[in-house]
């Protein structure tokens, strides 16, 4: 395939080919950013929480006694409900807690009586059963007692990673921290390791320091509990819980595994993925329309020339190859410009908001995709060109 | 002449249905995407109350910890005591503090059917300042801001539930077990952005009940909103919250003119200086009066993602327009013989150019209408997605959206068509006439 004549022919018509190259460039820039955002969101939506679905059920429900029925009546109802849930067959443990691997509730803490800035951490309110229920290992100190939970004692349990951030290495029990409310709390236990949770988890996934979690002895709400079930009995226990809640004529309830909670929490990300996907698809479709139209026009323009070439001995494949190559050169030129344009657009987006960063593999992958789409788009008109009969050359009309 | 061009355009569309269809689809997709994201952006960004936005100011004062600044620079809201202190001033034309909470409310005859509803504690000026529309009655008078008067304003939904929708001014409702007299009923009202309380959730539902600000403390209502304190409350519980350093009240004032603003600023500085005698205002005095629109922007309204999406959508429109250049060029060149004849008969280059541009715009208009329809459908889909959380439609089709679509359409038509039309009018007539 002689590139010389093809390129020279294109150079006689610079604006037209230039515009198509620009269109390909802009398409690549946008598609690459869309792909980056989709990948980023997918990572969040499929990340593992570190808690095996087989063991845990999250149950939330509302009390059917209205608020003006009296606080004591409501408390008694909750106590009874918690106890009856705990007694269900195959339920090992139950904890009244705000724990949810995908929650985003953050607090900030700093060592007491210092002036350094408060460090953010995921904050979880839990009762005395939480550590056994979700399987936390303490490598220093102890968990909260029932009395401490009931009295909302000013204590805290931190993860080793968070404690290290505040106090460096060394024993942490007995040290005092100030939380974001201004209360002074004493550390009474240290969790050895905890998969980073919620939004702090994303910091961990992206390489920043994660694992910053603090536990407060408090029943923040009676309406959410986490249940630990015997292995293999997840499905049965779930049905049992749902039947039980129905019998208790509970106001509103939700029984979910941690994966289901994950899906719920990432509804905005799912919307984002849909929007980006649609946008990328629309762009690729339009790009293919444009390239098809342009190639078709190119063919029409050179009908006579094609006829002459065929009459002089060119095969159908030569003609096909000519137009595919022409389209390929413009596309490649556009992709090269588009690659740098993709980084420029990404920089602009990152400046406006917290978008996803693109990388060379993403741009290369998108470019490849676009190249294949462009090839597919140029094929029908090129095939039409290859079928032009040599008799055209000798016609005078 | 213009009519002739439109006639030509229409004839040409009918003669090349395939090409026209592709151009229409191309423009429709670009316009749909562009209009959709522009509408979303402008729903957040537009001025919610244009007649007043120039004179409404949000008050903030730095009453925070002398040792460490508030994470946002200065606290975004004021404490209860500071609010009461500032509202003493008679400089602003109107002023109000406000914060949300929840109460148990029911009608007087059936206190057992009381339900928990959202309430906003505010001053009587609130309703005039934010143009809240009343169906029956009106706001309470300033005299009734006094803590001893139990008056309330309820919204239409609550009025329907408790009183069957009739004029309930003068009736009594039970709020947290105490009798409150209804003085006004609000029309169904939901601004797209709850701009007077936009810090956490600008698209939250407006509250159902409104009660004078000072009643909150008497009813022991706890503020249901973002609030922080830098020091322990002097007392436990909600009573402590009202006496302590909890910042939870948004204060808005209405001021007209630079002198007025300067006078009020002096008052605020004076108040802060006065408070320094206690530990309360130990930080350097930093009182801010933020105009409404700037306050909305600070509350991330419009959210930067919306701006980014609008940028991307406009680029998509550009890409669509560029893609169609080849198609339009093919279309024009196919009829170069006609243009040559017209040129030979005396048409100037400009005439040919104009005719082709108009043809582009006519086709683009078809694409624009389809695109607008597509954008409306997609907008409703997005509304449905958020319905679960907000239970009202955030985004509406309105004149601005249609105008957006039209501008997008003609821009796309222009971008796509100007170069092909230019090349079409440059054709030497003799070449095509010769070949006939």
């Amino acid at each position: 395939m002689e590139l010389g004549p093809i390129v020279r022919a294109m150079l006689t018509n610079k604006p037209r080919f230039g515009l198509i190259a620009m269109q390909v460039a802009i398409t690549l820039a946008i598609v690459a950013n869309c792909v980056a955002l989709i990948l980023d969101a997918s990572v969040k939506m499929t990340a593992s929480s570190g808690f095996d679905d087989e063991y845990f059920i999250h149950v939330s429900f509302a009390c059917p006694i209205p608020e003006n029925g009296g606080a004591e009546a409501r408390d008694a109802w909750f106590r009874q409900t918690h106890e009856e849930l705990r007694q269900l067959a195959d339920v090992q443990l139950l904890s009244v807690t705000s724990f949810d691997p995908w929650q985003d509730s953050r607090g900030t803490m700093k060592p007491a009586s210092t002036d350094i800035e408060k460090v953010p951490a995921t904050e979880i309110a839990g009762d005395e059963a939480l550590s056994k229920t979700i399987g936390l290992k303490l490598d220093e100190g102890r968990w909260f007692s029932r009395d401490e939970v009931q009295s909302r004692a000013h204590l805290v349990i931190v993860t080793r990673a968070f404690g290290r951030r505040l106090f460096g290495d060394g024993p942490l029990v007995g040290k005092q921290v100030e939380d974001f409310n201004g209360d002074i709390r004493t550390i009474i236990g240290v969790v050895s390791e905890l998969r980073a949770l919620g939004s702090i988890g994303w910091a961990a996934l992206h390489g920043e320091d994660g694992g910053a979690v603090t536990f407060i002895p408090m029943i923040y709400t009676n309406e959410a509990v986490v249940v630990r079930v015997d292995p293999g009995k997840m499905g049965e226990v779930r049905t049992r819980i749902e039947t039980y809640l129905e019998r208790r004529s509970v106001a509103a309830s939700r029984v979910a595994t941690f994966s289901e909670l994950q899906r719920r929490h990432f509804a905005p990300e799912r919307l984002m993925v849909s929007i980006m996907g649609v946008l990328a698809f629309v762009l690729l479709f339009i790009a293919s329309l444009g390239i098809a139209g342009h190639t078709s026009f190119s063919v029409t323009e050179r009908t006579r020339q094609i006829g002459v070439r065929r009459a002089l001995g060119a095969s159908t494949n030569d003609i096909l190859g000519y137009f595919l190559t022409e389209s390929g050169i413009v596309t490649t030129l556009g992709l090269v410009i588009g690659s740098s344009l993709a980084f420029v657009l990404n920089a602009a987006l990152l400046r406006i908001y917290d978008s996803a960063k693109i990388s060379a593999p993403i741009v290369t992958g998108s470019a490849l995709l676009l190249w294949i789409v462009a090839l597919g788009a140029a094929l029908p008109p090129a095939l039409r060109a290859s079928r032009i009969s040599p008799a055209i050359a000798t016609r005078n009309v | 002449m213009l009519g002739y061009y439109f006639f030509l355009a229409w004839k040409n569309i009918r003669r090349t249905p395939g090409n026209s269809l592709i151009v229409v689809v191309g423009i429709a997709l670009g316009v749909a995407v562009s209009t959709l994201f522009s509408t979303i952006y402008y729903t957040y960004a537009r001025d919610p109350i244009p007649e007043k936005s120039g004179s409404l100011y949000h008050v903030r004062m730095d009453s925070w910890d002398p040792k460490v600044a508030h994470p946002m620079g200065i606290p975004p809201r004021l404490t209860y005591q500071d609010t009461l202190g500032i509202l003493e001033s008679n400089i602003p034309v109107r002023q109000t503090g406000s914060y949300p909470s929840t109460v148990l409310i029911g009608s007087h005859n059936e206190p057992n059917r009381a339900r928990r509803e959202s309430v906003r504690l505010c001053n009587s000026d609130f309703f005039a300042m934010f143009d809240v529309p009343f169906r029956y009655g009106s706001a309470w008078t300033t005299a009734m801001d006094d803590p001893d008067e139990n008056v309330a304003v309820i919204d239409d939904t609550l009025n329907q539930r408790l009183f069957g929708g009739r004029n309930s001014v003068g009736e009594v409702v039970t709020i947290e077990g105490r009798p409150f007299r209804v003085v006004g009923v609000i029309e169904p009202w939901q601004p797209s952005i709850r701009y007077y309380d936009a810090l956490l959730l600008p698209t939250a539902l407006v509250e159902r009940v409104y009660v004078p600000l000072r009643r909150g403390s008497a009813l022991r209502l706890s503020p249901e909103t973002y609030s922080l304190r830098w020091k322990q409350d002097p007392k436990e519980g909600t009573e402590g919250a009202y006496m302590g350093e909890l910042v939870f009240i948004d204060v808005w004032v209405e001021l007209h003119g630079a002198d007025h603003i300067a006078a009020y600023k002096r008052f605020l500085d004076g108040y802060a200086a006065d408070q320094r005698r206690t530990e309360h205002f130990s930080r350097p005095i930093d009182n801010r009066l933020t105009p409404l629109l700037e306050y909305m922007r600070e509350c991330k309204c419009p959210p930067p993602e919306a701006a980014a999406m609008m940028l991307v959508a406009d680029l998509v429109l550009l890409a669509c327009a560029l893609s169609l250049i080849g198609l339009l060029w093919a279309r024009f060149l196919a009829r170069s013989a006609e243009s040559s004849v017209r040129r030979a008969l005396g048409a100037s280059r400009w005439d040919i150019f104009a005719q082709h541009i108009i043809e582009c715009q006519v086709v683009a208009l078809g694409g624009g209408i389809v695109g607008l329809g597509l954008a409306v459908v997609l907008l409703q889909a997005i509304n449905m997605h958020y319905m679960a959380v907000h239970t009202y439609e955030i985004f509406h089709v309105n004149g601005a959206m249609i105008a957006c679509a039209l501008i997008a359409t003609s821009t796309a038509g222009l971008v796509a068509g100007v170069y092909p039309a230019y090349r079409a009018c440059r054709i030497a007539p003799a070449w095509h006439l010769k070949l006939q």
Side-chain angles (χ1 to χ4, degrees):
Chain A
M1 181 63 46
E2 295 276 345
L3 283 182
I6 301 179
V7 172
R8 279 193 290 275
M10 286 204 304
L11 284 176
T12 60
N13 224 323
K14 288 194 274 271
R16 211 176 85 212
F17 290 94
L19 284 165
I20 294 294
M22 275 318 298
Q23 175 237 314
V24 170
I26 296 180
T27 305
L28 176 63
I30 302 178
V31 168
N33 278 286
C34 286
V35 167
L37 280 162
I38 291 177
L39 286 176
D40 196 54
S42 306
V43 163
K44 286 188 198 177
M45 295 197 296
T46 56
S48 151
S49 66
F51 291 92
D52 201 334
D53 261 2
E54 271 302 300
Y55 292 104
F56 303 107
I57 299 179
H58 187 271
V59 188
S60 64
F61 47 86
C63 177
I65 305 175
E67 299 242 0
N68 64 351
E72 283 124 33
R74 285 172 61 87
D75 277 343
W77 186 91
F78 275 119
R79 268 200 302 277
Q80 186 186 5
T81 311
H82 293 157
E83 196 45 48
E84 287 177 1
L85 280 172
R86 199 174 276 126
Q87 302 290 0
L88 288 177
D90 296 319
V91 168
Q92 285 182 359
L93 294 160
L94 177 145
S95 170
V96 184
T97 171
S98 67
F99 176 74
D100 169 354
W102 308 106
Q103 67 167 345
D104 205 5
S105 86
R106 285 201 224 183
T108 55
M109 285 197 180
K110 67 174 168 87
S113 321
T114 61
D115 274 337
I116 65 177
E117 220 174 282
K118 290 190 179 165
V119 182
T122 306
E123 198 173 89
I124 299 173
D127 67 0
E128 63 276 6
L130 181 59
S131 64
K132 293 227 178 57
T133 308
I134 63 177
L136 297 173
K137 289 193 188 20
L138 292 163
D139 67 6
E140 206 188 314
R142 59 171 178 85
W143 194 257
F144 309 121
S145 71
R146 195 187 177 83
D147 292 324
E148 285 160 354
V149 173
Q150 302 283 11
S151 63
R152 297 191 174 195
H154 280 192
L155 304 170
V156 68
I157 292 178
V158 300
T159 50
R160 176 66 62 188
F162 185 64
R164 198 175 287 134
R165 275 248 285 263
L166 292 183
F167 294 108
D169 289 309
L172 294 165
V173 171
K175 296 234 163 72
Q176 301 216 310
V177 289
E178 187 181 317
D179 71 14
F180 76 101
N181 255 333
D183 298 325
I184 308 288
R185 291 181 180 270
T186 316
I187 299 180
I188 65 159
V190 181
V191 172
S192 56
E193 181 193 62
L194 185 63
R195 243 327 266 254
L197 309 174
S199 59
I200 307 280
W202 314 136
L205 281 171
H206 288 266
E208 296 166 39
D209 189 12
V213 185
T214 61
F215 297 91
I216 312 278
M218 167 165 110
I219 294 188
Y220 182 70
T221 169
N222 276 312
E223 294 182 350
V225 300
V226 172
V227 167
R228 189 189 186 96
V229 310
D230 286 333
K233 301 279 178 115
M234 228 286 289
E236 297 165 28
V237 177
R238 198 180 166 150
T239 328
R240 254 175 235 144
I241 294 181
E242 281 163 354
T243 329
Y244 168 75
L245 288 177
E246 247 180 76
R247 269 192 294 121
R248 290 279 278 174
S249 60
V250 150
S253 73
R254 191 182 68 210
V255 179
T257 63
F258 286 163
S259 303
E260 285 160 17
L261 287 178
Q262 185 180 15
R263 263 197 293 282
R264 195 181 308 259
H265 274 284
F266 290 120
E269 269 76 7
R270 271 213 306 281
L271 181 66
M272 167 74 89
V273 167
S274 320
I275 292 180
M276 290 294 119
V278 167
L279 217 57
F281 179 75
V282 162
L283 271 173
L284 289 176
F285 180 64
I286 297 290
S288 62
L289 276 185
I291 293 185
H294 180 255
T295 314
S296 176
F297 173 68
S298 199
V299 167
T300 319
E301 204 185 28
R302 323 180 84 102
T303 309
R304 270 197 129 225
Q305 187 199 60
I306 297 170
V308 168
R309 286 190 65 200
R310 293 272 278 130
L312 290 175
S315 71
T316 46
N317 284 344
D318 289 333
I319 306 294
L320 185 66
Y322 179 95
F323 283 101
L324 286 181
T325 311
E326 185 185 80
S327 167
I329 292 176
V330 177
T331 309
T332 311
L333 181 66
L335 289 178
V336 165
I337 301 175
S339 305
S340 26
L341 212 58
F343 284 99
V344 168
L345 180 61
N346 191 239
L349 287 178
L350 282 173
R351 215 142 39 109
I352 298 180
Y353 84 108
D354 183 27
S355 175
K357 242 173 118 70
I358 59 173
S359 57
I362 291 181
V363 175
T364 318
S366 313
L368 199 62
L369 178 66
L370 195 50
W371 206 88
I372 295 172
V373 168
L375 194 66
L379 202 55
L383 281 171
R384 184 165 63 85
S386 68
R387 296 204 197 99
I388 291 176
S389 99
I392 303 269
T394 52
R395 258 193 241 163
N396 269 327
V397 173
Chain B
M1 215 52 204
L2 220 53
Y4 177 58
Y5 292 161
F6 278 108
F7 166 71
L8 278 181
W10 177 240
K11 218 163 58 104
N12 288 330
I13 291 172
R14 291 186 53 196
R15 273 203 295 181
T16 56
N19 186 300
S20 305
L21 182 67
I22 298 179
V23 175
V24 161
V25 165
I27 297 216
L29 287 172
V31 166
V33 168
S34 168
T35 310
L36 180 68
F37 289 114
S38 298
T39 308
I40 293 177
Y41 180 79
Y42 282 116
T43 304
Y44 283 103
R46 75 189 164 99
D47 192 334
I49 185 170
E51 328 79 66
K52 290 239 181 80
S53 58
S55 49
L56 292 174
Y57 292 84
H58 186 252
V59 180
R60 278 180 297 173
M61 301 199 293
D62 196 353
S63 60
W64 206 244
D65 190 345
K67 289 181 274 176
V68 179
H70 188 277
M72 291 185 190
I74 68 170
R77 295 182 162 141
L78 303 181
T79 68
Y80 185 66
Q81 299 297 327
D82 285 334
T83 307
L84 292 185
I86 293 181
L87 290 178
E88 294 278 324
S89 163
N90 54 8
I91 300 176
V93 172
R94 295 194 186 96
Q95 55 188 347
T96 178
S98 98
Y99 67 99
S101 183
T102 60
V103 283
L104 266 176
I105 177 168
S107 76
H108 196 52
N109 329 349
E110 300 163 333
N112 289 334
R113 283 184 56 204
R115 288 231 286 256
R116 190 152 285 276
E117 303 277 7
S118 55
V119 66
R120 179 158 290 271
L121 292 304
C122 59
N123 297 91
S124 61
D125 278 342
F126 175 90
F127 304 94
M129 280 172 80
F130 298 113
D131 282 346
V132 182
F134 277 87
R135 176 170 260 174
Y136 305 119
S138 65
W140 57 84
T141 62
T142 326
M144 294 192 220
D145 271 336
D146 197 283
D148 288 331
E149 274 281 350
N150 280 356
V151 289
V153 168
I154 63 177
D155 87 332
D156 191 62
T157 321
L158 210 54
N159 193 35
Q160 295 283 353
R161 183 165 73 79
L162 296 176
F163 300 109
R166 64 168 195 273
N167 185 342
S168 52
V169 176
E171 303 267 4
V172 177
V173 289
T174 320
I175 295 183
E176 294 286 313
R178 299 181 207 201
F180 273 70
R181 187 164 52 88
V182 174
V183 292
V185 178
I186 297 182
E187 299 253 19
W189 181 61
Q190 179 66 46
S192 287
I193 305 297
R194 198 181 62 175
Y195 50 94
Y196 47 83
D197 186 351
L199 188 64
L200 268 191
L201 200 60
T203 51
L205 286 169
V206 297
E207 288 74 20
R208 295 237 180 275
V209 188
Y210 298 80
V211 159
L213 188 74
R214 295 243 195 96
R215 302 310 287 137
S217 150
L219 294 174
R220 306 273 182 111
L221 299 177
S222 67
E224 298 258 328
T225 178
Y226 169 97
S227 48
L228 281 189
R229 51 166 93 64
W230 62 271
K231 199 167 73 152
Q232 284 276 54
D233 293 334
K235 265 189 182 183
E236 275 289 314
T238 45
E239 210 183 313
Y242 286 93
M243 289 167 56
E245 298 290 341
L246 192 70
V247 286
F248 62 98
I249 302 190
D250 285 304
V251 174
W252 289 91
V253 294
E254 190 173 331
L255 303 166
H256 299 290
D259 294 336
H260 208 185
I261 296 171
Y264 190 65
K265 208 125 202 283
R266 276 197 299 276
F267 163 76
L268 286 180
D269 292 340
Y271 175 84
D274 224 24
Q275 290 290 310
R276 272 173 166 245
R277 287 186 277 113
T278 69
E279 207 193 11
H280 187 47
F281 268 84
S282 322
R283 292 186 67 72
I285 294 185
D286 186 359
N287 302 327
R288 303 197 195 163
L289 284 173
T290 320
L292 173 61
L293 292 178
E294 201 181 308
Y295 173 69
M296 278 172 56
R297 271 198 296 281
E298 283 185 19
C299 291
K300 294 252 184 3
C301 212
E305 290 88 355
M309 283 291 101
M310 201 168 73
L311 169 69
V312 172
D314 288 339
L315 284 176
V316 170
L317 186 66
L318 181 64
C320 289
L322 290 178
S323 300
L324 299 172
I325 288 181
L327 283 154
L328 287 172
W329 199 326
R331 185 197 184 90
F332 293 161
L333 240 40
R335 271 173 276 112
S336 45
E338 266 181 40
S339 305
S340 306
V341 171
R342 287 184 56 212
R343 289 271 274 131
L345 289 176
S348 69
R349 284 218 185 105
W350 176 247
D351 291 330
I352 306 292
F353 183 77
Q355 184 243 315
H356 283 104
I357 288 284
I358 290 192
E359 182 171 333
C360 283
Q361 292 291 5
V362 169
V363 181
L365 188 64
I369 293 174
V370 173
L372 181 60
L374 197 59
V376 169
V377 167
L378 289 173
L379 202 64
Q380 285 303 100
I382 293 188
N383 269 334
M384 288 301 123
H385 187 271
Y386 284 116
M387 245 330 200
V389 175
H390 296 110
T391 71
Y392 73 94
E393 290 185 354
I394 309 177
F395 303 110
H396 302 284
V397 180
N398 54 16
M401 184 178 180
I402 299 178
C404 238
L406 285 176
I407 294 175
T409 309
S410 41
T411 316
L414 218 61
V415 168
V418 75
Y419 189 64
Y422 171 69
R423 291 299 299 261
C425 77
R426 294 279 313 274
I427 295 169
W431 173 246
H432 293 273
L433 292 173
K434 225 197 297 184
L435 282 180
Q436 292 290 33

